[in-house]
Amino acid sequence: MTEISRYAAFTLDPSGGNPAGVVLDAAGLDDARMQAIAAEVGYSETAFVTSRDGGRFRVRYFSPLAEVPFCGHATVAAAVALGPGEHLFVTNAGEVPVTVDDSGVATLTSVDPHVSELPAADLAALLAALRWPADALDPELPPRVAFGGAYHPIVAVTSRERLADLDYDVPALTALMTEREWTTIQLVFRDGPETFDVRDPFPVGGVYEDPATGAAAAAFGGYLRELGLVPAEATLTLRQGDDQGRPSRITVRLDPAIKGVRVSGPAVPIS
């Protein structure tokens, strides 16, 4: 029988953070079975370790509706489930080193991030689906599409209340994200020089919203660095999940000597 573990990532409280399923021995599972398990678990993602060779692990991620190339919070959960040490996850997006310390905090280093323009027509369609006016946008954080293992448009607003009142058009946003192959939408409010509140709609995965999104955090870190919006060496705090009653705290570290973005947080079992 397949053993499925459940962890909450980016929190020390099992009732907070983003829950993830973890299957540490998925060698005998085909794609259809992994997809079915992810749907049964019902979390935004379940991580499946399909093979291992020493500290090298082949890992795949399934949402309730589809496979995704990379998932940060399920990476944190799976690494903590494996235990302290250095692990190398081989994902559909590339190789992701993950270190777990003795306190149960995992730090992943993303694949090399990159940022591209968000075309005006796509931005207009995105704002229409979010039901946000263009004048709500923060001119200091311009809209872009960022990649850190998966693609995430970055859209920032000047009002925390705007972020709190998220009420998007699910069919319209799902269709747009599917067409553009976006994984989540990183919605942002800047609360300080290195502190941000974020929310991440994920309708293409069958989930209204993620309470913590490590892949988007990596993409956002790459965006901030590439646009020069934070110092080249910085430690950032992302607050997510508060509006859903599942508070999450994600630490993002930028190091000019490293192309990838480091994303850190704990994970705890869900009983």
Side-chain angles (χ1 to χ4, degrees):
M1 175 178 285
T2 302
E3 182 177 349
I4 305 168
S5 301
R6 293 167 170 80
Y7 282 77
F10 296 112
T11 182
L12 293 172
D13 181 353
S15 65
N18 197 358
V22 176
V23 179
L24 293 180
D25 185 7
L29 303 180
D30 61 16
D31 289 13
R33 184 60 185 139
M34 287 189 282
Q35 184 63 75
I37 289 172
E40 291 165 8
V41 171
Y43 296 155
S44 55
E45 274 95 6
T46 295
F48 296 86
V49 178
T50 60
S51 67
R52 61 177 71 192
D53 180 9
R56 184 182 179 92
F57 302 87
R58 176 68 173 105
V59 184
R60 296 174 66 184
Y61 309 90
F62 286 80
S63 78
L65 293 183
E67 184 173 11
V68 298
F70 175 66
C71 172
H73 85 276
T75 292
V76 167
V80 171
L82 288 169
E86 296 183 2
H87 314 298
L88 180 64
F89 283 15
V90 181
T91 76
N92 287 358
E95 295 186 348
V96 178
V98 194
T99 301
V100 181
D101 67 20
D102 290 336
S103 69
V105 173
T107 299
L108 66 87
T109 302
S110 76
V111 298
D112 293 354
H114 58 80
V115 180
S116 59
E117 294 291 330
L118 179 61
D122 286 355
L123 176 59
L126 182 52
L127 291 176
L130 292 170
R131 302 187 176 108
W132 284 0
D135 62 9
L137 299 182
D138 185 346
E140 301 298 321
L141 297 170
R144 294 287 190 276
V145 178
F147 175 85
Y151 289 95
H152 309 265
I154 310 293
V155 181
V157 291
T158 57
S159 164
R160 180 64 180 85
E161 290 72 23
R162 176 75 61 183
L163 205 63
D165 291 337
L166 181 63
D167 178 23
Y168 64 86
D169 182 329
V170 174
L173 190 59
T174 303
L176 179 63
M177 293 175 70
T178 301
E179 184 176 352
R180 297 294 183 263
E181 297 185 341
W182 297 335
T183 298
T184 72
I185 311 297
Q186 179 88 329
L187 308 177
V188 179
F189 170 74
R190 189 170 199 165
D191 191 47
E194 297 182 345
T195 304
F196 303 84
D197 290 292
V198 299
R199 299 187 74 171
D200 280 80
F202 186 36
V204 292
V207 177
Y208 186 82
E209 179 183 359
D210 258 348
T213 317
F220 184 53
Y223 157 92
L224 293 170
R225 178 169 60 191
E226 184 165 323
L227 273 61
L229 299 171
V230 295
E233 185 171 356
T235 299
L236 316 173
T237 299
L238 275 56
R239 299 186 298 227
Q240 191 174 349
D242 296 61
D243 297 295
Q244 297 170 266
R246 297 194 67 98
S248 306
R249 297 296 179 264
I250 304 171
T251 300
V252 175
R253 293 185 178 88
L254 304 177
D255 182 338
I258 298 173
K259 290 183 178 181
V261 174
R262 287 177 170 156
V263 177
S264 298
V268 293
I270 300 172
S271 57

